[in-house]
Amino acid sequence: MFLWTRADHPEVARAADPAQARTITWKALSTHFPRQREVWAPGAGETIADLSLSAFDRVTKPAEGHHAMPILARLLTRYRGIFSSPNWMLGPEAEVWLPFADPDVIACALRVPLSAHEGNSYYRAMLDHGAPDVARLPSTNDPGERPEPGPQRKTSPAALASLAESIAGSDEVCALLGPRLLAALRDPELRARQTRWSGPLYVLQWASMLARWQDEYRSRLSWEPLT
C-alpha cells in the first residue's frame, strides 16, 4: 500500500511548509468527508474534522521534513491498523506472511524518492520481482473505469440493519448525524442506496461502533456533546 502513487504526493512536494504538507495528506486520507452536509448534524462534521486534524498533526509531526512524509504519515495512522488486521483475523492458528509490512521492505521503500512511485511503477516492479504471476493480474489501482463491485457482507441488508439498530438506540450518537443518514436508519431501501458509496458507509460503521462503545461503558464515562 505504501508503495503506490498517491494523489497527495506531488502536492506535498510543493507545500509551503510542513503544516500545509500535513493538511494536504490529511485531506487525502479523510477524503474530505467530515465536512459534507446532510451526513453530519450542523457543527458536528466540522468539530470532528478539527479534532481529527489536530490528532493527525500530533501523531505525524515526527515525520516533518522527511522526503517520504506522506508515506510515513500513513504508516503512523492508517496502515498500522491495516497491517495488523490479518494477524487479528487469522493468527495465531495460521502463520501469516506480510512481505510488504516487513521492516526491511519498509525501510528500503522509504529511501526511494516519491517521484519514483509515479504511475505505481515502483510497486509494480517490486511485485513483479517477488510474484510475477500476481503482478500480471488486474488491479483496482490500474487507470480507467473500475468494474462494478460484487456483493459484500458489510453491505448486506442484515449487516446494514445491525448498524442502524445500534445507532438508533443512542440519542447522543444520532444527534451527530445529519438528515440523510438519520432517514437511512429508518428506511432500508434508502440505507442500501446510501451505502453504495464508501463515505456514508464509513460514517454508519463509525457511528455504530461509537454507539456500542458508549453502551458498554456508559456507567463509567460521562458524555460531552461535540456541538
Side-chain angles (χ1 to χ4, degrees), residues 88-169:
W88 296 340
M89 294 176 62
L90 304 174
E93 293 81 6
E95 185 178 10
V96 180
W97 290 52
L98 301 170
F100 285 162
D102 184 271
D104 289 338
V105 174
I106 293 175
C108 178
L110 290 174
R111 298 189 187 102
V112 177
L114 290 183
S115 58
H117 292 243
E118 291 181 7
N120 296 321
S121 55
Y122 180 59
Y123 165 72
R124 284 292 189 185
M126 287 279 288
L127 192 59
D128 188 59
H129 177 77
D133 292 339
V134 176
R136 287 191 288 270
L137 296 173
S139 168
T140 54
N141 292 289
D142 292 338
E145 293 186 11
R146 296 185 181 184
E148 283 291 325
Q152 297 178 306
R153 290 180 62 185
K154 65 182 180 182
T155 54
S156 69
L160 295 178
S162 178
L163 295 179
E165 182 181 5
S166 59
I167 297 168

Side-chain angles (χ1 to χ4, degrees), residues 61-75:
K61 192 170 179 61
E64 185 175 296
H66 195 285
H67 77 94
M69 187 282 291
I71 296 176
L72 286 167
R74 286 168 168 82
L75 287 170

Side-chain angles (χ1 to χ4, degrees), residues 170-198:
S170 171
D171 292 339
E172 294 90 344
V173 176
C174 285
L176 301 175
L177 303 181
R180 187 197 309 171
L181 290 191
L182 288 175
L185 298 180
R186 302 183 296 270
D187 187 334
E189 292 186 5
L190 177 60
R191 194 159 59 232
R193 290 198 302 272
Q194 287 295 311
T195 52
R196 290 176 185 169
W197 294 272
S198 58

Side-chain angles (χ1 to χ4, degrees), residues 1-2 4-11 28 70-71 74 78-79 117 120 141:
M1 297 176 182
F2 60 90
W4 297 338
T5 303
R6 299 298 185 180
D8 59 312
H9 289 183
E11 290 187 64
I71 296 176
R74 286 168 168 82
R78 176 177 293 183
Y79 292 165
H117 292 243
N120 296 321
N141 292 289

Side-chain angles (χ1 to χ4, degrees), residues 39-40 48 154 158-177 181-182 185 191 195 199-218 223:
V39 170
W40 301 99
I48 291 171
K154 65 182 180 182
L160 295 178
S162 178
L163 295 179
E165 182 181 5
S166 59
I167 297 168
S170 171
D171 292 339
E172 294 90 344
V173 176
C174 285
L176 301 175
L177 303 181
L181 290 191
L182 288 175
L185 298 180
R191 194 159 59 232
T195 52
L201 178 61
Y202 291 161
V203 175
L204 287 178
Q205 290 172 330
W206 167 83
S208 175
M209 287 190 290
L210 179 59
R212 293 174 188 271
W213 175 82
Q214 183 200 31
D215 184 61
E216 179 73 20
Y217 298 103
R218 186 185 298 273
W223 181 269

